[in-house]
Amino acid sequence: MASTLNAPLGSRGGHFFFLFVVVVQALLLSSQVTTERGDAALRGFIVALLSPFQRGADAIVSGARSTWNGYVDLRGVREDNQRLREEVARLEQAVWLERDLVASYRRLSGVLELAERLPYEPIVAEVIGLDASAWFRTITVNQGKNRGVVLNAPVVAAGGLVGRVISLGPDVAQIQLLTDRDCSVGALLTRTRNRGIVAGSGEQSSPSGLLLNYVSNLDDVVEGDPIVTSGIDGIYHKGIAIGHVASVRNGPRLFKTITVEPAAKLSRLEEVFILPAVGDIEITEQVE
Amino acid sequence: MKFLDIALAILVAFFVQTVLGRYFGFLNVYLDLFTVIAVTFGLLRGRMVGLCTGTAVGLLQDAFSGGLLGFNGISKTTVGYLAGIGGHHLIVRGWSRRLLFFVGATLLDMAILASVGRLAEEPRVLGEGLTPLYLCVGNAIAGILLLGRVDRNRSSETL
């Protein structure tokens, strides 16, 4: 006992012993004291003393845990993201296929309807090529001489007039579109019966690529007026829809400047009907 | 024999504070002999003696004060222990230094009591007005006297 009490000052044992004695007395004190809430005072003291450290440690642990969970989740999310991207790509592909099927159905329905309405026996041809120029003014189809296609035969599509055959091969034909600047079609405004000539204009003067020329400034023309072939050019049968008036204004001289919106969607042709040439029909009718 | 004077001092303090204090109430107001004993023996005989003496007198004081056991125990233990450390590092000779030392020890004791009382949600009334100051002075005087007495005894034992 004496040696313990005479422990050197530098010894840590003395400090620990002091702390031990104080803590024991604190415990003793706590066992006798209850707070207003009924808790042991020492518990409250210890809680108050250690809670900041506890909160700090908890924050560190929860932060680390959150980071780890975030990392794990991120890995899962990345895999999910990859899988979902592939799924989206697959579904997009399927949707596009469905849309293409619907569009094909509608287009072919229109073609079938037109074929039933035509008074002639048309040759159905599929577009297999376009003009290499920026504006498609000629197209190539997969029917030619072998199927009876002749030069200057009118070509129509689901909407209306497309153009005429300008070149022939055994199994192909090249068709000049209405929008070609060398193409001219005798036209008739169905509402007023005024005549004119529809010609390809080139992209500068008409966005649609078609102009209706030689209609007097005095004639009554309004936007939306339907235009059909007049039949006076000797190439196109009478009454085939060409399009409608897109814009109209009086020209500087005698004639109006009229732009025409084609009835057939010339930039999206897939199937066309090649009609018998006007002269062929007349000959056939005479023979019959 | 070495601790006999400590035991004797504790007995005297107990007698003064509990027996005489009943008749002379000011003794308990202006004097805390238990603190004086813890500081004195810690100062003279080192921190461990101060610690043990402080613990003993503190618990004794608590036991007979009707208060919470450990209340004074903690304060007296701490004061005795720190007095031992202070006695090792400081030269506490001359009445003025000793007076200051006892005043400081008494203030520390009161501060610890107040802190422990606050933590235990039992605020301890240390006295009003100048009472703490009187207590410091009373302890200092008693401490100087006791310290001189014990110091003399130790010198005579050494001789």
Side-chain angles (χ1 to χ4, degrees):
Chain A
M1 180 68 182
S3 62
T4 302
L5 293 177
N6 291 325
L9 187 66
S11 167
R12 287 188 174 182
H15 297 309
F16 288 129
F17 185 66
F18 165 67
L19 285 176
F20 172 74
V21 172
V22 170
V23 167
V24 167
Q25 292 186 83
L27 289 170
L28 184 66
L29 190 63
S30 173
S31 66
Q32 307 162 75
V33 178
T34 53
T35 64
E36 293 175 355
R37 298 183 303 275
D39 302 328
L42 183 64
R43 183 187 304 166
F45 168 67
I46 291 173
V47 168
L49 188 69
L50 297 181
S51 60
F53 299 101
Q54 190 183 25
R55 281 199 295 272
D58 182 63
I60 292 170
V61 171
S62 64
R65 187 177 177 184
S66 174
T67 303
W68 173 255
N69 287 339
Y71 169 71
V72 172
D73 289 346
L74 193 62
R75 287 189 61 188
V77 166
R78 191 172 295 162
E79 290 168 1
D80 286 347
N81 189 34
Q82 180 65 26
R83 185 177 54 76
L84 290 173
R85 280 175 185 276
E86 291 172 359
E87 184 73 11
V88 167
R90 190 183 64 76
L91 290 174
E92 279 183 347
Q93 187 75 18
V95 168
W96 279 112
L97 285 172
E98 292 294 328
R99 284 181 181 170
D100 188 52
L101 282 174
V102 171
S104 297
Y105 169 77
R106 287 178 180 165
R107 179 168 43 77
L108 292 173
S109 296
V111 168
L112 184 62
E113 185 183 351
L114 177 66
E116 288 173 350
R117 282 194 289 112
L118 286 172
Y120 324 108
E121 188 69 29
I123 300 169
V124 180
E126 192 175 339
V127 177
I128 58 172
L130 300 173
D131 190 356
S133 63
W135 296 88
F136 307 120
R137 298 188 195 93
T138 62
I139 58 173
T140 304
V141 297
N142 64 349
Q143 302 293 352
K145 286 179 184 175
N146 293 342
R147 285 292 307 271
V149 179
V150 296
L151 281 174
N152 290 326
V155 179
V156 298
L161 187 64
V162 171
R164 66 188 177 104
V165 177
I166 57 170
S167 162
L168 272 175
D171 294 308
V172 293
Q174 192 172 29
I175 296 165
Q176 180 188 51
L177 299 180
L178 289 175
T179 48
D180 191 296
R181 65 189 312 157
D182 294 330
C183 179
S184 296
V185 182
L188 181 69
L189 287 157
T190 57
R191 185 174 66 84
T192 61
R193 312 306 293 175
N194 289 322
R195 294 179 185 274
I197 295 176
V198 169
S201 63
E203 62 274 18
Q204 287 84 5
S205 56
S206 169
S208 62
L210 281 180
L211 290 174
L212 176 59
N213 298 324
Y214 306 115
V215 176
S216 171
N217 280 339
L218 301 175
D219 289 338
D220 174 25
V221 180
V222 295
E223 290 182 9
D225 276 349
I227 304 168
V228 297
T229 53
S230 65
I232 62 170
D233 49 31
I235 296 176
Y236 301 101
H237 304 284
K238 186 178 178 180
I240 301 172
I242 296 174
H244 63 270
V245 175
S247 67
V248 58
R249 58 185 167 84
N250 287 336
R253 295 179 184 173
L254 297 177
F255 304 109
K256 290 179 182 296
T257 302
I258 302 171
T259 60
V260 178
E261 184 66 32
K265 296 182 180 3
L266 301 179
S267 61
R268 284 183 281 176
L269 293 171
E270 291 189 42
E271 289 91 14
V272 295
F273 297 95
I274 302 172
L275 305 182
V278 173
D280 290 345
I281 292 174
E282 290 172 355
I283 292 169
T284 305
E285 285 175 348
Q286 284 175 3
V287 170
E288 287 176 349
Chain B
M1 192 65 192
K2 191 173 184 177
F3 303 107
L4 191 62
D5 51 355
I6 297 176
L8 188 63
I10 292 173
L11 279 176
V12 170
F14 176 73
F15 174 76
V16 171
Q17 298 281 173
T18 59
V19 178
L20 291 184
R22 293 176 61 185
Y23 302 99
F24 307 99
F26 68 92
L27 287 177
N28 286 337
V29 177
Y30 302 134
L31 201 61
D32 183 359
L33 287 179
F34 296 109
T35 302
V36 171
I37 289 171
V39 173
T40 300
F41 287 100
L43 187 65
L44 290 177
R45 296 185 183 173
R47 54 180 182 155
M48 296 308 294
V49 174
L51 186 151
C52 292
T53 306
T55 303
V57 297
L59 292 175
L60 187 68
Q61 192 175 9
D62 287 330
F64 286 91
S65 67
L68 298 170
L69 206 60
F71 215 95
N72 282 285
I74 291 174
S75 68
K76 301 299 184 286
T77 300
T78 307
V79 167
Y81 186 75
L82 293 179
I85 294 175
H88 184 81
H89 288 280
L90 303 172
I91 299 173
V92 189
R93 293 194 180 280
W95 68 269
S96 58
R97 291 182 183 177
R98 289 182 175 180
L99 185 139
L100 285 176
F101 195 85
F102 275 100
V103 167
T106 305
L107 289 173
L108 177 66
D109 180 62
M110 287 191 289
I112 294 170
L113 284 174
S115 302
V116 174
R118 188 177 183 83
L119 288 173
E121 296 186 6
E122 284 197 8
R124 191 175 179 83
V125 179
L126 295 174
E128 296 175 349
L130 294 175
T131 306
L133 179 63
Y134 297 149
L135 183 62
C136 287
V137 173
N139 279 357
I141 294 171
I144 290 170
L145 294 175
L146 180 62
L147 200 58
R149 177 68 185 167
V150 176
D151 215 8
R152 267 201 304 277
N153 286 348
R154 192 171 63 169
S155 299
S156 62
E157 283 176 8
T158 305
L159 289 174

